[in-house]
Amino acid sequence: MATVYRWRLAPDGLATRRQLRALGLRPGGQDVAAEVHRPRRRKPPLVAYLYRVEHAKPVRPMTPGRMAALAAAMLARRTCPNCRTDVGYCIPRSLGMCVPCHDTPAPSEGDCRVLA
């Protein structure tokens, strides 16, 4: 069982994953050294896992293959499935399409007119 500290009372030399990442480090396979519990009213406490900074390893460098895969994934998130254009922002999952496509009403069958 890891040592438990209260919120903001953890000793120096321990860091969360985000704090390690800000330092350019990663846990590197080490076990959790301690936990920080942040109390909340009427709910269980929030828990953050702490790792030893001296045992952390440097972040692995970005390879060309990883960079290409990340670029392809981001392009897929920016491409509207309706109009097939890169809209320049990530498509909201709540809409499922770009904002202009969502705001444009779809023609109903009664609206179709034969142009002569």
Side-chain angles (χ1 to χ4, degrees), residues 6-7 37-47:
R6 290 194 44 88
W7 184 250
H37 286 203
R38 180 178 180 198
R40 300 188 295 173
R41 294 182 194 180
R42 298 186 200 103
K43 292 183 180 179
L46 293 175
V47 178

Side-chain angles (χ1 to χ4, degrees), residues 65-80 86 89-91:
R66 278 177 147 180
M67 199 168 303
L70 183 60
M74 292 307 294
L75 178 64
R77 290 184 66 190
R78 290 191 317 261
T79 304
C80 176
D86 181 357
Y89 56 87
C90 289
I91 305 292

Side-chain angles (χ1 to χ4, degrees), residues 106-113:
S108 62
E109 289 188 27
D111 291 343
C112 294
R113 296 189 183 112

Side-chain angles (χ1 to χ4, degrees), residues 5 8 16-17 21 37 42 55 67-68 75 79 83 87-89 103-105 107 112:
Y5 295 102
R8 297 183 186 261
T16 63
R17 282 181 180 267
R21 188 62 178 211
H37 286 203
R42 298 186 200 103
H55 295 301
M67 199 168 303
L75 178 64
T79 304
C83 61
V87 292
Y89 56 87
D103 291 344
T104 305
C112 294

Side-chain angles (χ1 to χ4, degrees), residues 23-52:
L23 297 172
L25 302 171
R26 61 186 170 94
Q30 64 176 302
D31 292 331
V32 174
E35 295 179 1
V36 173
H37 286 203
R38 180 178 180 198
R40 300 188 295 173
R41 294 182 194 180
R42 298 186 200 103
K43 292 183 180 179
L46 293 175
V47 178
Y49 300 112
L50 301 175
Y51 301 91
R52 297 192 185 283

